[in-house]
């Protein structure tokens, strides 16, 4: 019975991942469709490709955070099943009404709500101090980023917009600023790179390829590439006429949307990976069967600490990330056109300029939070970025009536999902023993 329940959870989790893809497709493609850089079909293919490509870029830090939403030693599979079902219901409800709510937060809320219904409020990992130099973790940190993620996206987008606007003027100071930023970016990225001797599991015999294709390094090289691409455009912006600058910005939107799609895939797929990993760990714990006696595809272990405080690395079989990245990419291919309309036109008027600044800011915010192992909402992030870009045209350029409605959806997602999951848990517990 336990194995059957585990398989049902895995299937439903992948279905949620698929729904997440078409629910959140708007995040990556709304601006590029609104500006007509790509057709809707071309845009979803573009976004889906980079969703899947994220498998080779990002680690499993966010997955670990999600898996530890609740203490896996004190819950059962019914808890996780109820959480996933609640998340699917809320996602479909908000998709039907074209509300760009957070798939991430509905999953966290569902997991936490069902866990509380099962074992009380203390079963949830509300807050845990981070190690030296690392962010704290827990549900309260995730809740805090409901505000912080769109705020960071808006601030970054606003400053990128101001930077571009000043670079369009025939003045030496924006060029001096840009050249300084180029030098600082190259210095910073070079300091973040892991050398061959620091890589725990090199992928190739060649030192060069191992360093270049190390996932940690790929992520920082992407950040550098994004910043340097905009920097070089800023250096020539003032010499372009309006037609030329628009043409350049339309081409740059391909880069910015690809970057955001990478962040979307890396951030959101990991959440489902975390749920599946937690389900397998709970199955191993509740079944009483030693991991060595289980088939290799069930050999899952979450990162932990040994008896002497030493760090023990986690383990996740390759089928889990591959299945999750494939599911979200397939979902993105399906598109979510009601939400595309809201994101692409109802918040503020989007031109290639706003498209580049919003998607670039959103991508950088997602890479930053993923680096800190914090699961944030890609929906909140890109919405905040679009607002930040729109603010450069004045406060009145943002349609605040629509924005306030979106904020209400964000605030309600976690508590509604939690209550719904608790009710589903009680219902399922009456039938599953």
């Amino acid at each position: 019975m336990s194995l059957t329940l585990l398989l049902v959870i895995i299937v439903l989790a992948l279905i949620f991942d698929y729904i997440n893809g078409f629910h959140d497709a708007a995040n990556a493609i709304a601006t590029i469709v609104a500006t007509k850089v790509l057709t809707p079909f071309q845009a979803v293919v573009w976004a889906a490709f980079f969703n899947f490509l994220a498998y080779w870029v990002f680690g499993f830090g966010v997955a670990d955070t999600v898996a530890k939403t609740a203490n896996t030693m004190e819950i059962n599979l019914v808890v996780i099943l109820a959480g996933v079902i609640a998340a699917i219901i809320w996602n479909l409800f908000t998709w039907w009404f074209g509300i760009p709510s957070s798939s991430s937060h509905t999953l966290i809320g569902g997991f936490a709500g069902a866990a509380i219904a099962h074992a009380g409020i203390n079963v949830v990992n509300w807050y845990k101090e981070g190690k030296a130099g690392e962010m704290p973790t827990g549900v309260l940190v995730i809740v805090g980023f409901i505000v912080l993620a769109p705020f960071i996206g808006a601030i970054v987008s606003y400053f990128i917009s101001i930077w571009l606007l000043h670079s369009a003027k025939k003045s030496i100071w924006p060029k001096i600023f840009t050249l300084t930023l180029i030098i600082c970016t190259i210095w910073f990225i070079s300091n973040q790179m892991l050398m061959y001797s620091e890589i725990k599991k090199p992928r190739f015999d060649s030192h060069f390829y191992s360093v270049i294709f190390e996932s940690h390094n790929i992520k920082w090289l992407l950040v550098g590439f994004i910043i340097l691409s905009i920097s070089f455009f800023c250096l020539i912006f003032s010499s372009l006429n309006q037609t030329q600058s628009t043409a350049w910005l339309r081409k740059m939107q391909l880069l910015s949307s690809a970057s955001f799609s990478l962040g979307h895939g890396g951030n959101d797929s990991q959440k489902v990976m975390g749920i599946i990993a937690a389900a397998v760990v709970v199955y191993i714990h509740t079944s009483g069967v030693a991991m060595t006696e289980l088939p290799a595809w069930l050999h899952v272990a979450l990162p932990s600490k040994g008896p002497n405080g030493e760090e023990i690395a986690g383990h996740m079989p390759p089928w889990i990330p591959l299945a999750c990245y494939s599911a979200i990419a397939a979902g993105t291919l399906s598109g979510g056109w009601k939400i595309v309309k809201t994101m692409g036109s109802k918040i503020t008027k989007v031109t290639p300029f706003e498209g580049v600044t919003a998607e670039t800011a959103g991508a950088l915010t997602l890479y930053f939070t993923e680096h800190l192992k914090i699961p944030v909402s890609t929906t909140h992030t890109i919405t905040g970025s679009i607002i930040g870009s729109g603010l450069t045209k004045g406060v009145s350029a943002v349609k605040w009536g629509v924005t306030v409605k979106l904020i209400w959806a964000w605030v309600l997602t976690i508590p509604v999902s939690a209550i719904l999951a608790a009710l589903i848990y009680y219902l399922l517990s009456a039938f599953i023993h």
Side-chain angles (χ1 to χ4, degrees), residues 24-25 34 59 104 112 119 123 158 205 223 321 327 348 375 384:
D24 287 6
S104 311
V123 73
Y158 180 80
D205 293 331
V223 170
T348 188

Side-chain angles (χ1 to χ4, degrees), residues 11-21 84 87-88 91 103-104 106-107 272:
V11 171
L12 286 178
L14 292 175
I15 290 173
F16 171 84
D17 205 17
Y18 172 83
I19 295 170
N20 187 356
V84 173
I88 289 173
N91 248 13
S103 299
S104 311
T106 190
L107 196 60
V272 179

Side-chain angles (χ1 to χ4, degrees), residues 21 52 68 73 133 231 246 281 321 351 431:
F52 185 76
K68 293 177 178 175
M73 296 297 104
S231 297
T246 300
V281 169
T351 67
F431 295 97

